[in-house]
Amino acid sequence: MRSVRGVSGRGPAPGGAGTGGRGRVAAGLGSLLAALLLALVPLPQGATAATAQNSAKNSAGDFAENSAVTKTGTAGPYDDFSKLKVTVHQTKNLRGQGVRVTWTGGRAAPTGATYNNYLQIMECWGDDADQGPDRTQCEFGAVDGAPAGGGRLVSPTRDPLDTDHATDADNIAFVPFKPVEGAATTTGTDWTYFNSLDTNSQTWLPNDSDGNGETVFEMRSSVESPHLGCGARTTASGAVRPCWLVVVPRGEHETNGTEGNSGSVRSSALSRTNWNQRLVFPLDFLPVGSTCSQDRAERRTIGSELITDAMTSWQSALCGSGAGRFTFTQSGEGEARERVTAPSDTSPGLGFTVQPVETAEDAPPVVQAPVAVSGLTVGLYWRYDVTVGEGSGAYIANRQLHDVRLNQRLLAKLLTQSYQKSVATADYLPDYLKTNPESIGADPEFQKLNPDFPAASGRTYSPWGLLLSTENSDMATVLWRYVQQNKDAREFLSGTADPWGMKVNRSYQDMDLDATPLDYFPKADPTTSKAPCGTPENSLPFDGTDLVPYTNDMHDAAQKVRNGYGGQLYLCAQSGAGWKLSGERPAATNAREFGIVDAASSTRYQLDVAALPNADGAFVKPTSDAMLKAVARMPDSAVAGVKTPDPATADDGAYPLTAVVYAASSVDQAKDARQDYAKVIRYAAGAGQTQGTARGELPYGYAPLPAALRTQALKAATTLETWTAPDPSDTPGGQDQDAEGSGGPGGDGGTVSGEDAGSAAGGAAASGGSGGSAGAGPDATDTGRPSVAPRDPAKENVAASGGLTPSEVIGLVRWVLLGVLVVGGAAALAGPVMLRLAARRVPAGG
């Protein structure tokens, strides 16, 4: 290309036109040659593969494991673990989340009441980069119901290597827990820092019949477990210190070489001989806490839980943008809309919402920009026992329920406490529930939809109810609408029995739930049960909110599902001189919970998710592709350009509980605040859409924002930062005759609601829309209203148009340049040719 330009740039040689003609011919040939080369040069591989790679990375939990680590066991003094290979599938950029752990090469665990050949896993802190943690630095030992090796007590008489243990006041040997800060524990049952209901240690993970296994371990940062300090402990240079995952394999022998009592090994994983067989994995956590200077002006944001994980990730990158210090408060979308429409110097200036902000006719306009695609899921962790084989070869296998299907009527049953165990214990069960199934696993409708789940396990191995958030939210309304759009579910909610005779809990029958979508999940049944506490007068009452408790939010629900314990309180426990309600967390092999969880939290905690029927009746999971298909089919809301979730339009592979989150900000704010909030929108629609686990990236579980919505968001940011109040003299009577009132279109400038929406769209379109750059900065100027009606990007086919990938941009540039070179080359050749033709036509002598 350089040589071609050199030829075409040379001027004619002195001495006449012939030389110049040859130069033009050479230039023309050079241009055509350049065009040919340009057409043949391949695009960069990264550009052509970018979109496919991005869409293939995430399918609700299955993402690239670039930091996976595998370690191999060793031959011990009594059991040989040299063929055991354990893989921790993510060891970097960790936060409070679930991480998959798999293993192969062990010996098959026996069935029945014999407990050997299993793994024990725990999270630890420690600063020795070579050796890893000491056994006193590991959270372990508090699990109730674990059949083997689950405590902190050790026996030096049985383990001759255990010489550095502690002893309590009764001379009982134990391994104390030493937290990052504070005093060490003083007994083997001192649960000052963690207990049986909240620990994340996994004390009994039996190998399967092939010697393999799989689990998801809940990693905890210092936010969830301050005593471990993961992500909060730093070196003098500011680097985050590592934490550790320790895996202790267990065989068939005790620490003194004898076979376990009745075939079971029950000594603690912390006993020195067992501890010496450990596999240690370093864990790199993301830093906890804000690194943004407190001296910066605080820019408050508020709103939907659907954006929480994304905004938490984006905050550090936004701090580096030179803007203010952004804080985020999770709230119901209704509160966010209220705050946005009444901005003040101290209130949040940016709200995240699913349904649109609708302003009064005389109120300042509100810019609304799409920033994320997410949705609701039913997240599950559900284990059960099943008999495999027949006769003497039969054995009990513990399995995890995958690929669960739920329909709208089953959701209606769960949302209305229509199963017995979600309301009361057997002795206090009201008559109107006695013919209903105990729980969903015993429901013939569930069994029909999930034929792999054995009916015999339905009563024992089934969640009591669905974990639900206490928050009022737009997505609660979406879920209710989804249920009500199904005829079978609607009839069930109105009192019609299902084909097997089950009826809705009558406490809900008069709530108009077959037609009115609520923005919350009521627990309307008042039935009270009693927990016996020694004597009848000491009995403690409890109700359905104790048997299936509310969760603080959907993230809390995800964490509880991952733990296999929703916080049920129905047992009596002594508390000092009195009694209190308590619960019992099941062993990992008996865990069974599910709940309504946002897609990002389901992925974060590696939950199974239920497939739900869409408008076609096809069962669909919330993959990125399925959520983007739903976005492409979403109708506009009452505010043009703001899409609204509508399960009835989710067909052809679309996931029905998908939503687009919008950032809404009033123009009635100081210019520097508007510019800062515009940076949030720009980052969210730009670099914030790169998926990954690092800070600043879009967490897995979100679907990347479609190109048309990114374009719309960038133009909305320009509208916000360059807003100029309209001049009343521009239109007769001081009113903008083109404005569409509340919910007017933002045109190329983004969606704007309010009386002056037309003016807002005009100013933004001129500065950042058709006639300006979508990426214009805060110094862009307002040059007036557009002379043509602006287009609405939100009404375009989201899946097929509205923006360009890097490869498309390069491709278009290439073909435009190709056209220029072809035309230029043809023109250069045409000049000399036409001169020769003209010379031939000139009469002789004339």
Side-chain angles (χ1 to χ4, degrees):
M1 295 293 286
R2 286 192 294 271
S3 61
V4 171
R5 285 196 295 270
V7 171
S8 64
R10 281 200 291 261
T19 309
R22 287 192 297 271
R24 284 192 294 273
V25 172
L29 291 173
S31 295
L32 291 175
L33 177 61
L36 178 62
L37 290 173
L38 182 63
L40 295 177
V41 170
L43 291 175
Q45 291 182 349
T48 58
T51 302
Q53 182 181 14
N54 199 33
S55 63
K57 263 186 175 182
N58 175 36
S59 58
D62 182 15
F63 49 83
E65 299 173 329
N66 296 327
S67 62
V69 173
T70 299
K71 294 201 171 187
T72 303
T74 58
Y78 310 118
D79 291 291
D80 186 358
F81 303 110
S82 59
K83 294 182 180 179
L84 177 68
K85 293 184 182 298
V86 179
T87 299
V88 179
H89 289 258
Q90 183 186 346
T91 60
K92 297 184 182 298
N93 291 340
L94 295 167
R95 52 185 176 152
Q97 66 175 85
V99 170
R100 188 164 165 255
V101 180
T102 60
W103 62 95
T104 61
R107 297 188 61 180
T111 61
T114 301
Y115 306 110
N116 55 45
N117 294 324
Y118 58 93
L119 299 188
Q120 298 180 297
I121 307 180
M122 63 200 80
E123 185 178 348
C124 314
W125 69 278
D127 297 331
D128 190 328
D130 296 324
Q131 300 297 321
D134 182 82
R135 58 182 179 164
T136 63
Q137 296 170 315
C138 295
E139 178 171 328
F140 184 82
V143 174
D144 283 341
R152 300 191 74 91
L153 300 180
V154 295
S155 175
T157 58
R158 295 180 181 176
D159 187 352
L161 298 182
D162 212 319
T163 59
D164 57 344
H165 55 270
T167 55
D168 62 17
D170 296 321
N171 203 34
I172 297 175
F174 73 103
V175 176
F177 173 73
K178 297 178 181 178
V180 170
E181 294 182 356
T185 55
T186 57
T187 71
T189 55
D190 180 349
W191 308 130
T192 300
Y193 302 103
F194 52 87
N195 60 49
S196 63
L197 299 182
D198 63 20
T199 183
N200 65 343
S201 62
Q202 297 185 2
T203 60
W204 187 62
L205 298 167
N207 303 336
D208 64 20
S209 58
D210 296 318
N212 308 327
E214 177 178 359
T215 189
V216 173
F217 187 88
E218 185 201 349
M219 302 292 185
R220 292 184 179 174
S221 72
S222 65
V223 175
E224 297 83 19
S225 293
H227 47 275
L228 295 176
C230 300
R233 298 180 303 110
T234 58
T235 63
S237 63
V240 176
R241 295 183 182 274
C243 275
W244 310 86
L245 194 71
V246 172
V247 178
V248 178
R250 306 301 300 275
E252 300 173 3
H253 296 85
E254 282 294 5
T255 53
N256 58 2
T258 61
E259 291 188 358
N261 183 24
S262 300
S264 298
V265 291
R266 299 183 179 276
S267 57
S268 170
L270 302 181
S271 190
R272 179 61 64 180
T273 296
N274 297 328
W275 178 255
N276 287 348
Q277 299 301 308
R278 68 193 182 280
L279 285 73
V280 180
F281 298 82
L283 305 175
D284 291 337
F285 276 77
L286 293 168
V288 171
S290 174
T291 57
C292 210
S293 172
Q294 298 297 306
D295 295 334
R296 293 192 182 185
E298 182 184 19
R299 300 297 188 205
R300 298 180 61 195
T301 67
I302 189 172
S304 176
E305 184 176 0
L306 292 188
I307 202 68
T308 298
D309 268 23
M311 191 60 185
T312 302
S313 176
W314 294 340
Q315 279 174 310
S316 58
L318 287 167
C319 179
S321 69
R325 175 172 52 88
F326 293 99
T327 59
F328 172 72
T329 301
Q330 181 179 298
S331 76
E333 293 88 351
E335 182 180 357
R337 288 189 287 271
E338 290 180 8
R339 297 294 187 93
V340 166
T341 54
S344 69
D345 292 340
T346 58
S347 68
L350 185 73
F352 296 100
T353 182
V354 174
Q355 297 298 343
V357 177
E358 298 185 58
T359 59
E361 289 187 1
D362 58 348
V366 172
V367 170
Q368 303 186 64
V371 291
V373 175
S374 185
L376 291 188
T377 73
V378 180
L380 308 103
Y381 179 42
W382 189 337
R383 302 195 71 94
Y384 65 98
D385 286 345
V386 61
T387 301
V388 178
E390 297 179 355
S392 60
Y395 63 95
I396 303 285
N398 183 259
R399 292 180 175 173
Q400 185 168 336
L401 190 59
H402 297 293
D403 300 321
V404 173
R405 290 184 170 193
L406 298 174
N407 61 21
Q408 292 94 328
R409 186 161 55 196
L410 286 171
L411 287 172
K413 295 172 181 179
L414 291 163
L415 294 174
T416 56
Q417 294 180 279
S418 293
Y419 294 110
Q420 295 178 8
K421 285 192 172 182
S422 64
V423 172
T425 55
D427 291 340
Y428 299 92
L429 194 68
D431 290 340
Y432 52 82
L433 288 180
K434 287 184 177 179
T435 59
N436 282 2
E438 288 185 352
S439 56
I440 190 172
D443 188 339
E445 183 168 18
F446 176 82
Q447 294 169 3
K448 181 179 179 180
L449 274 179
N450 300 277
D452 291 338
F453 181 71
S457 296
R459 292 176 178 269
T460 305
Y461 298 102
S462 178
W464 292 357
L466 193 66
L467 297 180
L468 300 166
S469 169
T470 58
E471 290 190 333
N472 295 61
S473 71
D474 289 351
M475 293 310 294
T477 303
V478 172
L479 181 57
W480 279 112
R481 185 179 295 122
Y482 171 64
V483 170
Q484 292 161 355
Q485 286 171 352
N486 176 263
K487 179 177 178 292
D488 291 340
R490 195 165 57 246
E491 290 179 350
F492 178 83
L493 290 170
S494 66
T496 302
D498 75 0
W500 299 271
M502 180 176 177
K503 287 189 175 183
V504 68
N505 184 328
R506 73 179 187 188
S507 301
Y508 293 81
Q509 192 167 338
D510 297 328
M511 296 180 66
D512 197 30
L513 293 179
D514 58 327
T516 303
L518 305 177
D519 67 348
Y520 66 100
F521 303 114
K523 288 186 181 290
D525 194 303
T527 303
T528 298
S529 303
K530 290 186 177 181
C533 303
T535 60
E537 59 270 18
N538 287 332
S539 296
L540 296 176
F542 61 90
D543 59 21
T545 60
D546 297 306
L547 289 171
V548 185
Y550 278 115
T551 62
N552 296 326
D553 54 26
M554 290 187 287
H555 175 272
D556 182 40
Q559 199 172 14
K560 285 181 166 62
V561 172
R562 169 49 55 211
N563 283 331
Y565 176 65
Q568 293 85 354
L569 300 174
Y570 60 97
L571 300 173
C572 273
Q574 282 192 313
S575 177
W579 298 88
K580 67 175 182 178
L581 283 175
S582 182
E584 184 177 22
R585 181 179 174 184
T589 51
N590 292 332
R592 45 192 182 272
E593 286 291 356
F594 60 169
I596 298 298
V597 178
D598 62 291
S601 293
S602 284
T603 302
R604 176 172 176 170
Y605 285 96
Q606 296 285 278
L607 305 180
D608 280 297
V609 291
L612 302 176
N614 65 8
D616 290 336
F619 283 85
V620 183
K621 289 189 176 184
T623 63
S624 288
D625 181 62
M627 288 195 285
L628 291 177
K629 285 181 177 179
V631 173
R633 291 157 175 76
M634 283 182 188
D636 270 1
S637 65
V639 174
V642 177
K643 293 178 175 294
T644 186
D646 187 359
T649 66
D651 56 9
D652 193 22
Y655 181 69
L657 298 182
T658 302
V660 178
V661 181
Y662 287 82
S665 188
S666 174
V667 300
D668 188 24
Q669 300 183 79
K671 183 178 181 180
D672 59 345
R674 287 188 283 110
Q675 290 174 344
D676 279 355
Y677 289 127
K679 288 181 179 179
V680 176
I681 296 173
R682 289 191 188 285
Y683 187 85
Q689 291 300 312
T690 300
Q691 282 195 299
T693 58
R695 277 194 165 189
E697 294 180 327
L698 183 70
Y700 292 105
Y702 292 94
L705 201 65
L709 296 190
R710 293 199 302 271
T711 300
Q712 182 183 348
L714 293 173
K715 292 173 181 177
T718 299
T719 299
L720 181 62
E721 66 189 354
T722 63
W723 170 261
T724 301
D727 187 342
S729 65
D730 284 349
T731 56
Q735 295 295 323
D736 185 347
Q737 302 301 312
D738 293 333
E740 299 187 13
S742 179
D748 277 1
T751 301
V752 182
S753 62
E755 182 186 17
D756 296 319
S759 298
S767 61
S770 55
S773 168
D779 296 328
T781 57
D782 184 351
T783 57
R785 293 172 52 78
S787 58
V788 295
R791 66 182 177 86
D792 184 356
K795 292 181 179 179
E796 298 176 359
N797 187 327
V798 175
S801 66
L804 302 174
T805 64
S807 61
E808 292 170 328
V809 173
I810 295 172
L812 284 178
V813 171
R814 175 168 69 173
W815 292 115
V816 170
L817 182 56
L818 176 62
V820 171
L821 290 173
V822 169
V823 172
L829 289 173
V833 171
M834 292 304 293
L835 285 174
R836 286 185 174 90
L837 290 175
R840 288 171 184 167
R841 293 191 187 103
V842 176

